[in-house]
Amino acid sequence: MATAARAHTEHGGANDRAGLGRSGEALLDALRRRLLSGRADGALGDGADVELLADRMVAALPAVKHEADALIGPFYDTPTLAAWRGVTRQALSKATAKRDLIGLKIGDGSLVYPSFQFGASGAPLPNLRQVLALIDPDRIDPWGSALWLNTVADEFGGTTAAQALRDGRVEQVLAAARRAAHAWAADA
């Protein structure tokens, strides 16, 4: 059986990969490099459930297509994010209510979660609650908050407020959030 699977991979793999597109090919290549570098040795012992590992890896991919993908996305839906992070839907709802996560309502009334707010391990953006309390204290515009966090700005050295938070530049982001909130209040 293992020989048949290996033959399929060696001979049929190219055909299987043909429909992936550039991003899918790049993802497979990046995964292959990491596996070959030994980064997954501990997870891939002889008894490893590779199907389960593959399911968890795919669950980590944001899958919701939305017109705001270029600005804020890609996005996770609730079931996918819950599976990837290993939490319940209720836990996501609670984290969103506490403003530890940004959940954005879309046309059908469901929530989507912008992927920029999660690190590679699924850890949420640090200090998000404090930033959101400054830029949108009345919870009027979560889409605007997400856009502000994910827009490249000179004040963050050509990166985003979200990346600055990840880099530990909390005070810089909080100061910028205060300035943005004051500017928006003056325009209102």
Side-chain angles (χ1 to χ4, degrees), residues 71-72 102 114 116-117 125-129 131-132 135 142-153 156 159-166 173 177 184:
L71 298 172
I72 304 172
I102 297 174
F116 74 80
Q117 68 184 313
L125 199 57
N127 302 97
L128 182 60
R129 185 185 310 181
V131 174
L132 293 176
I135 62 174
W143 282 91
S145 297
L147 184 60
W148 185 84
L149 282 157
N150 201 46
T151 298
V152 172
F156 303 120
T159 188
T160 66
Q163 185 59 51
L165 286 174
R166 256 185 236 98
V173 175
W184 296 335

Side-chain angles (χ1 to χ4, degrees), residues 57 68 126 172 174:
M57 292 168 89
Q172 180 186 15
L174 293 175

Side-chain angles (χ1 to χ4, degrees), residues 34 39 56-57 59-61 76 84-85 115-125 163 166:
R34 283 161 180 76
R39 286 184 58 187
R56 291 199 49 122
M57 292 168 89
L61 299 174
Y76 293 101
W84 177 42
R85 294 195 62 223
S115 63
F116 74 80
Q117 68 184 313
F118 302 101
S121 68
L125 199 57
Q163 185 59 51
R166 256 185 236 98

Side-chain angles (χ1 to χ4, degrees), residues 52-149:
L52 178 62
L53 288 171
D55 286 343
R56 291 199 49 122
M57 292 168 89
V58 169
L61 299 174
V64 175
K65 296 292 180 205
H66 191 274
E67 60 208 32
D69 276 354
L71 298 172
I72 304 172
F75 300 94
Y76 293 101
D77 61 12
T78 300
T80 302
L81 184 58
W84 177 42
R85 294 195 62 223
V87 299
T88 64
R89 292 173 185 226
Q90 293 80 3
L92 292 177
S93 178
K94 185 176 179 180
T96 303
K98 288 175 31 180
R99 301 179 99 179
D100 291 332
L101 294 179
I102 297 174
L104 304 170
K105 236 178 217 177
I106 59 174
D108 66 3
S110 64
L111 288 180
V112 294
Y113 301 87
S115 63
F116 74 80
Q117 68 184 313
F118 302 101
S121 68
L125 199 57
N127 302 97
L128 182 60
R129 185 185 310 181
Q130 295 90 323
V131 174
L132 293 176
L134 290 169
I135 62 174
D136 189 16
D138 298 323
R139 300 175 184 238
I140 294 169
D141 189 10
W143 282 91
S145 297
L147 184 60
W148 185 84
L149 282 157

Side-chain angles (χ1 to χ4, degrees), residues 4-87:
R6 191 175 6 214
H8 171 74
T9 301
E10 292 170 2
H11 302 292
N15 292 336
D16 292 344
R17 291 174 60 155
L20 288 177
R22 260 186 292 210
S23 293
E25 288 292 333
L27 178 61
L28 281 176
D29 290 341
L31 181 58
R32 178 176 295 285
R33 284 192 306 275
R34 283 161 180 76
L35 290 172
L36 291 174
S37 74
R39 286 184 58 187
D41 287 349
L44 294 176
D46 286 339
D49 185 343
V50 294
E51 290 297 323
L52 178 62
L53 288 171
D55 286 343
R56 291 199 49 122
M57 292 168 89
V58 169
L61 299 174
V64 175
K65 296 292 180 205
H66 191 274
E67 60 208 32
D69 276 354
L71 298 172
I72 304 172
F75 300 94
Y76 293 101
D77 61 12
T78 300
T80 302
L81 184 58
W84 177 42
R85 294 195 62 223
V87 299

